[in-house]
Amino acid sequence: LKTAKEQHHRTPTIMVSRAVVCSRLTRLVSRRLFSTVSEIPEGINNVVEEYYTKKATSISLQTLMKTGRGELLGKTYKDDHNQLERQVATERILMQVASFIHHEMPIRLAQRIHDLDRVPMMRDMPSVQTVKQIYINSLLELIDQPKITSPKDEDHFAITLENLYQNHSNVLIQMAKGAYELREAVRSGRIPGKVVSSNSTDDDDVLEFDQMDDCHAFLDRFYMSRIGIRVLAGQYLALKGPPLNPNDVGMICARTSAFDIVRHAASDATLMCTRNYGDAPEVVINGRLDLTFPYIPTHLHYILLELLKNAMRATVEKHGVDGADDLPPVTVTIADSLDNEDVVIKVADEGGGIPRSQIEKIWSYLFTTADPQIQENAIGNDADQLQCDHSADSPLAGLGYGLPISRSYARYFGGDLDVVSMDGFGTDAFVHLVRLGDSQEPLAV
């Protein structure tokens, strides 16, 4: 390992320009299109392979909460000035969590580097190359960190991890750009295939992305793994400070209010819809308005915001804004009982529905109905300057990533996201969330 680290310090940073990649695609596509040979320098690749072969450890929401409370140490929070509302994690808790991340994170990073380096076609896209380099740099920086044996070591590790956390903040946008670059590579003929066009009726103008199983499976693995990496790091960094309210354990709220999250997401979606169309349909919320359960509020907010803004957009485009008072409402129903294994949230609209032939495509990262000019403008932004994956102003808002990413968030803790549509009338989306939080995360290998 020492030799590999020394090799790392002697190896220049991998920087692949757009022109170089396009030229390489043109010259070598027939030979390399489905190659699985690594392009990582040997010394670094040895480190990647060492950690790649190790087994990652699956976690659950309950495990994160118990660890954050110190229950697995036989201790709980220390009291800051005897005020319960300012409880913070003890040094032992923070050292335990930091030590786990110090061991676990390099394994997860190495698995994604291995995947990024071998996925057919996408691995040659400039933005995917950029993401791979971000992951390599993070892996090498983490394995250079000393073993955590004292609070001082833990504080130093937290600073390093927080910097890496910020460095990864635009990875979703970079990968969306990679998918766009793949479409453009096919459209320009650098990769054999058919051009994507959701509005075309000519079969020769439609890229059959549903046949690109390797790319779809890769993106599912990548995004599920990224959620896990962000949860581990975000939970630990949140434990470093006092919680926002007494029910918080890191980034988890033990009593997440489904009604409050729906209300906030509806407010955000209404603002976005009004900004784009001049008006928005009313959101009616019914069912178990008093329901609370353990969850990560930001995850649920993202899922519901995506569903609500889609429902509002479909409603306005179906019925128009001229008779805004006659716009049918978007209805959100929250269902749960003590006998239910899931919390279920339904978002129903009367926005005209989705043709049955298009239902499977809504889950594709490589398919979008966004206007080509919107896509081009979004991709033209400097993603390096964007610090938030889920901002309403981020390119993701127009690149068709919302639903598949939302489903990954729901599935991360054992839930799911289903869409049932009645073409010509409307669409019902069902969010299923495991009520007890005891489901293990699915590990992408």
Side-chain angles (χ1 to χ4, degrees):
L1 183 58
K2 180 178 180 182
T3 302
K5 288 182 181 178
E6 292 172 351
Q7 176 68 26
H8 156 56
H9 293 302
R10 293 197 300 269
T11 304
T13 301
I14 304 170
M15 296 298 292
V16 182
S17 71
R18 185 180 299 270
V20 169
V21 171
C22 292
S23 175
R24 182 186 303 158
L25 279 168
T26 303
R27 296 195 311 268
L28 303 180
V29 65
S30 61
R31 178 167 64 87
R32 294 189 58 255
L33 195 57
F34 297 100
S35 171
T36 57
V37 178
S38 173
E39 291 187 334
I40 303 173
E42 182 179 359
I44 297 176
N45 192 53
N46 290 340
V47 178
V48 172
E49 291 301 310
E50 176 187 349
Y51 283 91
Y52 167 75
T53 57
K54 296 181 179 180
K55 184 178 180 180
T57 304
S58 182
I59 60 173
S60 70
L61 198 66
Q62 288 290 352
T63 300
L64 288 174
M65 292 179 65
K66 288 179 180 179
T67 304
R69 289 168 171 160
E71 294 178 21
L72 302 184
L73 289 172
K75 292 181 179 292
T76 57
Y77 287 107
K78 68 180 179 182
D79 201 14
D80 183 13
H81 303 302
N82 295 319
Q83 296 181 30
L84 289 177
E85 65 272 15
R86 299 187 62 194
Q87 291 171 328
V88 294
T90 65
E91 290 175 348
R92 286 190 64 198
I93 292 174
L94 293 174
M95 287 177 62
Q96 181 194 39
V97 176
S99 295
F100 174 74
I101 294 175
H102 184 268
H103 165 80
E104 180 71 13
M105 198 68 78
I107 298 173
R108 299 191 181 207
L109 291 172
Q111 290 174 347
R112 298 288 62 78
I113 294 167
H114 185 276
D115 223 6
L116 285 161
D117 194 49
R118 287 164 173 78
V119 59
M121 293 177 283
M122 283 204 71
R123 74 174 190 164
D124 291 304
M125 300 303 108
S127 294
V128 177
Q129 292 271 356
T130 298
V131 170
K132 182 174 71 174
Q133 190 58 47
I134 292 172
Y135 274 60
I136 289 174
N137 292 341
S138 298
L139 169 65
L140 295 172
E141 188 164 357
L142 280 175
I143 64 176
D144 275 340
Q145 296 299 306
K147 185 177 180 180
I148 298 167
T149 59
S150 68
K152 184 177 180 180
D153 292 338
E154 184 270 319
D155 281 335
H156 183 269
F157 179 78
I159 294 172
T160 299
L161 190 67
E162 186 166 12
N163 289 335
L164 296 181
Y165 190 83
Q166 293 301 321
N167 290 342
H168 284 244
S169 63
N170 67 356
V171 161
L172 271 182
I173 294 171
Q174 289 286 1
M175 290 301 291
K177 290 181 69 174
Y180 176 85
E181 290 161 357
L182 178 58
R183 289 192 201 98
E184 291 304 299
V186 173
R187 181 177 284 111
S188 64
R190 295 195 302 273
I191 293 179
K194 299 178 183 178
V195 178
V196 63
S197 174
S198 62
N199 299 319
S200 175
T201 57
D202 186 345
D203 289 341
D204 290 335
D205 291 335
V206 180
L207 174 58
E208 296 174 355
F209 277 131
D210 57 334
Q211 296 179 2
M212 300 174 69
D213 293 336
D214 287 340
C215 287
H216 283 138
F218 158 75
L219 289 167
D220 269 334
R221 291 192 303 270
F222 181 86
Y223 290 119
M224 189 66 75
S225 172
R226 185 178 185 275
I227 291 171
I229 289 172
R230 300 289 282 182
V231 166
L232 284 178
Q235 174 71 358
Y236 164 62
L237 295 173
L239 287 172
K240 291 283 290 180
L244 296 177
N245 68 68
N247 294 315
D248 286 352
V249 182
M251 64 192 300
I252 302 167
C253 179
R255 296 179 61 83
T256 300
S257 167
F259 172 69
D260 285 345
I261 302 295
V262 171
R263 190 161 48 86
H264 292 153
S267 176
D268 292 341
T270 298
L271 178 64
M272 296 167 67
C273 187
T274 303
R275 182 177 62 196
N276 292 332
Y277 296 98
D279 213 321
E282 179 187 6
V283 176
V284 177
I285 310 171
N286 56 44
R288 283 287 311 276
L289 306 186
D290 60 336
L291 171 68
T292 62
F293 62 105
Y295 210 72
I296 299 178
T298 53
H299 286 195
L300 184 54
H301 180 274
Y302 177 76
I303 296 169
L304 291 171
L305 176 60
E306 180 62 28
L307 297 179
L308 285 165
K309 69 182 183 183
N310 287 349
M312 289 184 177
R313 183 188 67 212
T315 300
V316 172
E317 290 180 351
K318 171 69 174 178
H319 298 275
V321 293
D322 293 337
D325 292 339
D326 297 327
L327 285 176
V330 173
T331 304
V332 180
T333 304
I334 303 168
D336 174 70
S337 75
L338 294 178
D339 296 329
N340 292 359
E341 65 180 35
D342 288 346
V343 172
V344 183
I345 303 174
K346 181 178 76 170
V347 178
D349 68 64
E350 297 178 26
I354 305 167
R356 188 162 59 90
S357 61
Q358 301 292 311
I359 283 291
E360 286 304 314
K361 293 181 180 179
I362 68 175
W363 304 115
S364 171
Y365 300 99
L366 301 174
F367 174 84
T368 178
T369 57
D371 183 90
Q373 188 61 50
I374 294 176
Q375 297 179 56
E376 185 175 348
N377 292 341
I379 292 301
N381 291 335
D382 186 357
D384 292 331
Q385 303 302 316
L386 296 167
Q387 298 300 316
C388 181
D389 291 328
H390 300 147
S391 166
D393 297 321
S394 86
L396 286 178
L399 291 180
Y401 263 44
L403 278 176
I405 291 292
S406 295
R407 186 168 67 171
S408 292
Y409 272 120
R411 287 179 170 178
Y412 179 70
F413 285 124
D416 210 344
L417 173 59
D418 297 316
V419 171
V420 178
S421 190
M422 182 182 292
D423 191 13
F425 180 77
T427 300
D428 291 354
F430 296 85
V431 183
H432 299 264
L433 307 170
V434 177
R435 186 165 59 89
L436 298 178
D438 56 356
S439 179
Q440 296 293 118
E441 63 172 329
L443 292 176
V445 179

